[in-house]
């Protein structure tokens, strides 16, 4: 497990604990935004990781939204 | 004012799509990739719903595994004799793709967003994203048609959920049946999407009508689909695995699925096809970061979930989830959690069809074509209400979205895409060969190393790929094989009349490092020219055609004293008379071996089973001395015929029910 993975898990846990799915959506989209310049500069490893984290944040957001709304 | 803007946007969309798909609006050929071309002479004898295809692989093959799409193909192909192939392919394949994908995606987006204007973004996203442009460019038109039809199925499903009754349920079943005929794999994906949607709506529903909803929204449409598709489902269910064995392990091994997992997660979530824009198999381009704008726009819709509009929130969540699932599966076995795809490939029923995981891009495209218009409409409304000088900001925002979407598909707008986006002509040498062969008696042509797309292929003169018949895909080894003793006899036995080295006009056969190589062509031509038992015919210009001495007939015997006469009733039935046979004489039937070919001796009611000959052909051992009259038939044809009857009857019944239900509804309203 890489340091960035641990950071992702910590942030994810914090946001899940806060139970504010829109924050998770924001974090997910921010990951996508941050990965764009990295891809442009061929920093592929971190950029790819950011996209995966982004999707992870969004997935958890969808689950929380669903649990709250359904 | 709003109406004018709608008309303006519609015109703009039409112009954009016209620029991208301009090659679909002319009668010139766009044959490329998997999209075939048939000469008029090769179309005449195509037979609807035949279980065996003479032309498949040149030596014939069971058509059951792909009978769904073949049924549409063969049902329409003869119209090409009137229209010409160029017009036929546009009217029955390419333009329906375009029309379906535009209309279906627009209607689906309109259903969700309730905005006519912003729903116009959906066709731009759905019909002109890199995935579908590469699919259509590569000539996978069946996949394209299924892709274009998928939003109709989802739309019917949403209608059925809203208004659950027999009529909407049957319409959904009809839609799903059509989707299945176009492509079983995309239909499978749509069924998964429907299943997830159903779960979503059931859990979110406060009404306790779940069983009714499950029946009308899933089970009944499933039954309707199965009945309409009985013409191929029934024989496949009975013949089972045999129908698929012809593909070998190349379609079902773990190595194959890992090899075909070209897309990375950033590709799939960015709706960026890994081959964009060159569309060369295996040539994966670097991630283009601008494509992450698409998930940004799409998933930003999650910000607009609120408790005032629960229904819209549910739809956003559903499509966002479908998008994520699609992106996760479309990357196949690559990170993250690639092992899950491999596990599903080995354990989930039906998943074996997804050796190429990019088919799952369908879910991403569906998701984004709904969510992006939704995000745009909500931001537009937000700007109108909250920001001063809002009109300018709002229009500026829309312009920015449209321009960024167009920027993503820049190569398509500037005519840089190849494949079916470029017109082609039949080269004169191939036309000349077609004219010559169409007047020849029955005999196959062997193309070294493989068939060219303009190779003449008819029931009388099927084109055989040397690579496929020998199972050798290395050029040098293939030439070596042709030089081996025994090859001459093998080709004669298989009824190969000519060996041809194609001219590679489209630079897709003689390749070295994915580029056309004159050297590879020269080596192949030289290698074939050196074969002593081949005589070159010089009448076809640069097209190197060699004659094989004394090829055998379609039905023949190693015993030269046997007098054989046969007639072709259909691709799956032959009548044969044999005189002066001795017990144990062998009758070779020159089609790919399949144990479902049987011989029935007339009067005696004796059944002869097929025995492999030369490791590839069918043969029948005659049981007694004497004269014979018997039929050779392919038994799954009976099941196809029964299934076709069930399909036809089902369609009639379903249409009657839908019409009667509609009439009932009207009467009630009155």
């Amino acid at each position: 497990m890489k340091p960035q993975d641990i950071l992702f898990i910590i942030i994810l846990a914090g946001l899940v604990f806060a139970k504010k799915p829109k924050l998770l959506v924001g974090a997910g989209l921010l990951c996508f935004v941050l990965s764009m310049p990295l891809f442009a500069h061929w920093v592929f490893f971190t950029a790819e990781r950011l996209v995966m984290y982004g999707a992870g944040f969004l997935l958890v957001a969808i689950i929380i939204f669903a649990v709250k709304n359904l | 004012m709003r109406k004018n803007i709608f008309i303006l946007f519609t015109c703009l969309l039409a112009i954009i799509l016209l620029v991208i798909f301009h090659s679909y609006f002319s009668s010139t050929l766009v044959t490329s990739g998997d999209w075939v071309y048939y000469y008029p002479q090769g179309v005449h004898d195509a037979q609807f719903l035949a279980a065996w295809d003479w032309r498949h692989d040149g030596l014939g093959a069971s058509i059951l595994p792909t009978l769904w799409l073949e049924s549409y193909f063969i049902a329409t192909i003869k119209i090409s004799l009137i229209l010409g192939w160029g017009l036929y392919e546009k009217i029955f394949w390419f333009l329906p793709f375009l029309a379906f994908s535009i209309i279906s995606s627009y209607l689906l987006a309109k259903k969700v967003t309730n905005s006519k204007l912003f729903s116009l973004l959906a066709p731009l996203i759905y019909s002109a994203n890199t995935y579908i442009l590469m699919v259509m460019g590569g000539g996978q038109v069946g996949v394209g048609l299924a892709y274009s039809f998928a939003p109709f199925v989802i739309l019917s499903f949403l209608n059925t959920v809203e208004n659950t009754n027999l009529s909407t349920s049957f319409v959904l079943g009809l839609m799903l049946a059509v989707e299945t005929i176009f492509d079983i794999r995309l239909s499978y994906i749509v069924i998964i999407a429907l299943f997830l949607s159903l779960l979503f709506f059931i859990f979110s529903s406060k009404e306790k009508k779940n069983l009714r909803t499950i029946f009308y929204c899933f089970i009944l449409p499933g039954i309707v689909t199965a009945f309409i598709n009985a013409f191929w489902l029934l024989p496949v269910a009975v013949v089972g695995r045999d129908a698929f064995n012809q593909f070998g392990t190349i379609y079902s091994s773990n190595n194959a699925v890992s090899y075909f997992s070209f897309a990375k997660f950033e590709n799939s979530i960015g709706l960026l096809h890994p081959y964009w824009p060159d569309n060369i198999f295996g040539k994966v381009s670097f991630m283009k970061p601008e494509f992450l704008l698409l998930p940004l726009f799409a998933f930003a819709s999650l910000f607009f979930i609120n408790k005032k509009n629960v229904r819209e929130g549910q739809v956003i969540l559903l499509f966002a989830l479908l998008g994520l699932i699609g992106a996760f599966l479309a990357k196949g076995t690559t990170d993250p959690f690639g092992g899950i795809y491999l596990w599903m490939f080995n354990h989930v029923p039906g998943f074996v069809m997804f050796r190429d995981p990019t088919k799952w891009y369908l879910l991403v495209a569906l998701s984004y074509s709904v969510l992006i218009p939704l995000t745009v409409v909500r931001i537009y409304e937000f700007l109108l209400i909250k920001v001063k000088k809002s009109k300018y900001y709002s229009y500026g925002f829309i312009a920015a979205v449209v321009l960024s979407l167009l920027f993503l598909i820049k190569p398509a707008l500037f005519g840089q895409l190849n494949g079916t986006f470029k017109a082609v002509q039949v080269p004169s040498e191939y036309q000349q060969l077609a004219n010559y062969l169409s007047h020849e008696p029955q005999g196959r042509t062997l193309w070294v190393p493989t068939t060219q797309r303009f190779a003449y292929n008819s029931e009388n003169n099927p084109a055989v790929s040397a690579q496929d018949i020998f199972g050798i895909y290395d050029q040098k080894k293939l030439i070596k094989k042709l030089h081996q003793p025994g090859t001459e006899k093998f080709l004669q036995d298989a009824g190969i009349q000519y060996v041809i080295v194609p001219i590679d006009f489209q630079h897709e056969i003689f390749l070295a490092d994915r580029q056309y190589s004159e050297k590879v062509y020269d080596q192949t031509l030289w290698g074939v020219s050196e074969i002593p038992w081949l005589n070159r015919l010089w009448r076809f210009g640069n097209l190197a055609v060699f004659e094989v001495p004394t090829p055998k007939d379609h039905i023949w015997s190693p015993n030269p004293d046997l007098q054989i006469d046969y007639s072709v009733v259909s691709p799956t039935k032959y009548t044969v008379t044999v005189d002066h046979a001795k017990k144990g004489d062998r009758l070779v039937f020159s089609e790919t071996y399949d144990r479902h070919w049987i011989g029935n001796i007339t009067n005696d009611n004796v059944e002869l089973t097929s025995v492999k000959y030369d490791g590839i052909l069918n043969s029948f051992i005659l049981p007694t001395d004497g004269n014979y009259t018997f039929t050779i038939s392919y038994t799954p044809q009976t099941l196809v015929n029964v299934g076709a009857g069930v399909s036809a009857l089902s369609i009639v019944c379903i249409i009657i029910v839908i019409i009667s239900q509609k009439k009932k509804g009207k009467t009630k309203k009155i």
Side-chain angles (χ1 to χ4, degrees):
Chain A
M1 194 176 269
K2 302 274 176 191
Q4 52 265 53
D5 295 338
I6 297 166
L7 190 66
F8 162 68
I9 291 169
I10 291 169
I11 296 171
L12 182 69
L15 292 174
V16 170
F17 188 71
K19 283 185 185 170
K20 287 188 175 169
K22 285 191 182 174
L23 280 181
L24 280 158
V25 175
L29 299 188
L30 186 66
C31 285
F32 292 158
V33 172
L34 290 176
S35 72
M36 288 161 80
L38 294 179
F39 274 120
H41 289 94
W42 291 20
V43 186
F44 288 118
F45 183 81
T46 311
E48 285 170 2
R49 275 287 204 269
L50 276 169
V51 173
M52 293 174 200
Y53 301 151
F57 282 128
L58 292 170
L59 181 65
V60 177
I62 291 168
I63 293 168
I64 295 176
F65 267 128
V67 171
K68 275 186 166 181
N69 289 4
L70 301 184
Chain B
M1 178 67 178
R2 191 137 173 132
K3 196 179 171 187
N4 289 340
I5 294 175
F6 179 76
I7 293 168
L8 183 75
F9 266 62
T10 310
C11 292
L12 188 68
L13 176 71
I15 291 167
I16 292 166
L17 294 178
L18 202 65
V19 169
I20 296 171
F21 296 100
H22 62 93
S23 62
Y24 297 179
F25 291 90
S26 76
S27 61
T28 48
L29 300 177
V30 291
T31 309
S32 186
D34 290 351
W35 183 239
V36 293
Y37 170 76
Y38 278 111
Y39 293 89
Q41 303 96 312
V43 171
H44 275 290
D45 301 305
Q47 190 157 331
F48 187 53
L49 291 184
W52 187 265
D53 185 4
W54 280 311
R55 289 169 290 207
H56 204 85
D57 290 341
L59 289 183
S62 166
I63 207 171
L64 296 179
T66 53
L67 193 58
W68 25 278
L69 186 64
E70 292 289 342
S71 63
Y72 177 69
F73 187 56
I74 302 295
T76 57
I77 194 173
K78 286 193 179 169
I79 298 170
S80 71
L81 293 173
I82 303 163
L83 299 176
W85 192 265
L87 266 182
Y88 160 75
E89 63 182 6
K90 307 303 169 357
I91 292 173
F92 287 91
W93 296 87
F94 289 92
L95 291 178
F97 152 77
L98 202 51
F100 290 159
S101 64
I102 292 168
I103 297 167
S104 66
S105 58
Y106 170 77
L107 291 177
L108 182 62
K110 191 166 136 271
K111 172 109 189 152
V112 175
T113 61
N114 283 323
S115 165
K116 276 168 77 175
L117 180 65
F118 290 96
S119 298
L120 288 173
L121 282 173
L124 187 58
I125 298 160
Y126 196 72
S127 312
N129 60 67
T130 63
Y131 168 66
I132 195 58
L133 289 173
M134 292 296 90
V135 166
M136 289 303 288
Q140 296 181 56
V141 191
V143 176
L145 276 172
Y147 171 95
S148 67
F149 207 77
F152 279 136
V153 185
I154 306 283
L155 193 63
S156 294
F157 173 79
L158 294 176
N159 286 337
T160 314
V161 170
E162 270 176 18
N163 187 13
T164 309
N165 61 46
L166 202 60
S167 174
T168 53
S169 180
F170 272 20
V171 171
L172 173 58
L174 266 179
M175 293 289 176
L176 196 55
V178 174
E179 176 78 9
T180 309
I181 286 170
F182 286 148
D183 195 286
I184 178 69
R185 295 158 299 181
L186 294 207
S187 177
Y188 181 94
I189 293 173
V190 170
I191 290 169
I192 299 262
L194 296 189
F195 181 70
L196 289 173
S197 311
L198 189 67
L199 289 181
F200 216 82
F201 288 121
I202 285 173
F203 284 120
S204 61
S205 171
K206 282 167 188 162
E207 297 170 39
K208 290 186 176 172
K209 291 179 183 171
N210 290 344
L211 277 179
R212 189 171 184 271
T213 310
I214 292 170
F215 180 75
Y216 280 106
C217 297
F218 202 73
I219 295 174
L220 191 57
I223 293 169
V224 168
T225 304
F227 270 84
I228 292 177
N229 281 274
F231 66 93
W232 70 271
L233 274 177
L234 182 69
V236 164
V238 176
V239 174
R241 201 162 263 280
D242 283 7
F244 296 91
N245 280 348
Q246 61 185 330
F247 294 128
T249 54
I250 191 170
Y251 279 83
S252 55
S253 71
N254 283 353
N255 287 342
V257 72
S258 299
Y259 177 72
F260 280 93
S261 296
F262 289 112
K264 290 185 166 185
F265 188 56
E266 58 268 24
N267 293 134
S268 58
I269 206 164
L271 196 48
L272 168 62
H273 195 287
Y275 301 158
W276 175 260
D278 296 334
N279 213 6
I280 296 172
F281 179 76
K283 189 185 170 190
V284 180
S285 53
F286 285 124
M287 176 63 189
K288 295 167 179 64
E290 60 273 23
F291 278 85
L292 288 172
L293 284 172
L294 289 176
L296 262 179
F297 282 135
F299 292 112
S301 60
L302 291 165
F303 281 127
F304 301 102
I305 292 177
N306 61 57
K307 289 193 173 167
K308 286 177 196 164
N309 194 343
V310 178
R311 198 69 178 166
E312 186 182 280
Q314 286 173 350
V315 173
I316 291 174
L317 285 179
L318 174 65
F319 278 95
L321 187 65
L322 289 179
L324 279 183
I325 291 172
F328 181 76
L329 294 175
K331 67 166 185 56
T333 60
T334 56
D335 278 342
F337 308 115
I340 294 177
Y341 192 88
L342 214 51
W343 183 88
M344 292 174 86
F345 188 75
N346 288 315
H347 294 91
V348 177
F351 223 81
V352 74
M353 293 187 291
F354 298 97
R355 175 189 69 153
D356 170 13
T358 56
K359 300 278 181 299
W360 292 93
Y361 267 87
L362 168 66
L363 288 184
V364 186
L366 270 172
S367 164
Y368 291 3
S369 68
V370 169
L371 295 180
I372 292 175
L374 200 76
T375 304
V376 175
V377 74
R378 293 292 168 258
I379 294 177
Y380 174 81
E381 285 167 358
F382 174 82
L383 289 172
L384 269 185
I385 297 163
K386 302 274 177 177
V387 185
K388 285 179 185 174
K389 294 180 183 173
S390 56
K391 256 190 182 174
Y392 300 106
Y393 284 115
S394 308
Y395 292 150
F397 170 69
I398 295 169
V401 171
V402 173
L403 286 175
S404 52
L405 289 175
L406 294 180
F407 177 71
L408 298 182
I409 50 164
K410 204 173 46 176
L413 292 168
F414 288 103
Q416 291 163 357
L417 298 186
N418 296 315
T420 63
F421 296 103
K422 290 262 171 11
V424 287
Q425 282 187 327
V426 181
S428 59
E429 288 90 340
Y430 285 95
Q431 186 64 62
Q432 222 178 330
L433 179 70
N435 294 340
Y436 174 77
L437 287 177
S438 61
H439 295 103
E440 281 283 283
Q442 188 160 33
R444 295 184 166 109
T445 53
L446 180 80
W447 294 73
V448 183
T450 191
T451 48
Q452 209 272 347
R453 63 183 59 261
F454 290 111
Y456 181 69
N457 195 6
S458 72
E459 66 165 87
N460 230 15
N461 308 96
V464 185
S465 155
Q467 285 179 342
D468 293 342
I469 199 174
F470 294 118
I472 299 171
Y473 296 89
D474 179 274
Q475 216 91 321
K476 282 180 186 163
K477 286 181 185 166
L478 190 64
I479 297 296
K480 205 175 160 188
K481 174 74 187 169
L482 286 169
H483 279 267
Q484 276 176 7
T487 302
E488 180 187 7
K489 182 185 170 295
F490 176 78
L491 296 186
Q492 287 168 334
D493 288 355
I496 305 282
Q497 204 173 4
Y498 299 104
V499 173
I500 302 170
V501 179
I503 307 171
D504 190 9
F505 287 100
Q506 287 168 304
H507 295 179
E508 51 193 358
I509 298 171
F510 300 104
L511 304 179
D513 199 21
R514 298 196 189 96
Q515 299 286 321
Y516 175 74
S517 165
E518 193 70 35
K519 194 179 159 193
V520 176
Y521 170 74
D522 287 340
Q523 281 172 348
T524 310
L525 182 59
W526 184 80
V528 175
S529 306
E530 289 291 294
I531 298 171
W533 41 270
L534 287 177
N535 293 321
R536 182 161 181 179
L537 303 179
W538 290 96
R539 67 182 79 179
F540 304 106
N542 289 330
L543 190 61
V545 180
F546 302 85
E547 204 169 14
V548 178
T550 58
K552 298 282 197 307
D553 203 350
H554 204 64
I555 298 174
W556 59 279
S557 173
N559 175 3
D561 298 334
L562 224 59
Q563 286 180 10
I564 303 165
D565 193 23
Y566 72 91
S567 63
V568 184
V569 181
S570 73
T572 55
K573 195 173 180 183
Y574 295 71
T575 56
V576 187
T577 56
V578 181
D579 291 338
H580 314 305
K582 294 268 183 297
K583 184 184 174 185
D585 270 347
R586 190 189 283 266
L587 211 64
V588 179
F589 173 54
S590 181
E591 290 285 326
T592 307
Y593 171 78
D594 188 314
R595 70 185 180 90
H596 296 287
W597 279 108
I598 57 155
N600 267 313
I601 300 174
T602 320
N603 301 328
D604 285 0
N605 209 14
V606 174
E607 204 173 273
L608 304 178
T609 51
S610 177
V611 181
K612 253 188 198 177
Y613 184 80
D614 269 355
I616 197 165
L617 304 174
N618 295 280
S619 74
F620 300 97
I621 312 288
L622 302 178
T624 51
D625 292 357
N627 298 336
Y628 288 87
T629 301
F630 68 99
T631 57
I632 296 174
S633 53
Y634 189 60
T635 48
Q637 184 62 50
T638 316
L639 295 166
V640 174
N641 296 343
V642 172
V646 174
S647 300
L649 199 66
S650 309
I651 292 170
V652 172
C653 291
I654 288 158
I655 290 172
I656 289 171
V657 171
I658 292 172
I659 292 170
S660 65
Q661 287 286 315
K662 293 257 180 212
K663 275 186 180 171
K664 260 189 196 174
K666 273 185 186 172
T667 320
K668 273 184 186 173
K669 275 181 191 170
I670 291 165

